[in-house]
Amino acid sequence: MSTGNALVIAAALSIAISQPAPAGERLTGTWLTEDGSTHVTFKSCGDMDCGQIVWLREPIDPETGKAWQDKLNPDASLRQQPLVGLTMITGLMENSPNTWTGTLYNPLDGKSYTGHFLMLSAAKLELKGCTLAGLICQTETWVRVK
């Protein structure tokens, strides 16, 4: 392949990736977290959408030699449930085109946060998780898994 062809292909790919998401697009599909550790699939869960952990880069807890469990869940009866299959995002509602709000459960600390999602493009999603009525927030970008 010539350098010219490679540049044209690279330019076409960057344009396709940077295109804004069409208004009204649903938050569905599988997304890779910013640190590359987790795949989350968004799907319909009754009247609202939710997000479920479907893959972990490191599926085995080195402490136990078994699949990671939700060991920090505030509900002791749920601490044995595996992380793969865990619904970590609930109550997703679209606020305006390409923006959603819901509740994020973080199994790394056992706490829930208000989550805001903004679809930047068909391939990029910005997640902002907040606590203390929005005073403390953390933002990261997720990419769609093909």
Side-chain angles (χ1 to χ4, degrees), residues 60-109:
I60 303 301
D61 180 346
E63 253 180 51
T64 65
K66 298 178 182 177
W68 282 101
Q69 295 178 334
D70 191 15
K71 57 187 170 185
L72 297 177
N73 195 306
D75 182 341
S77 70
L78 298 176
R79 291 182 186 156
Q80 301 299 314
Q81 68 183 339
L83 291 186
V84 173
L86 177 78
T87 299
M88 64 173 286
I89 301 165
T90 57
L92 275 174
M93 294 180 15
E94 189 169 16
N95 302 329
S96 59
N98 300 323
T99 62
W100 296 263
T101 300
T103 300
L104 303 171
Y105 170 70
N106 182 356
L108 297 177
D109 65 11

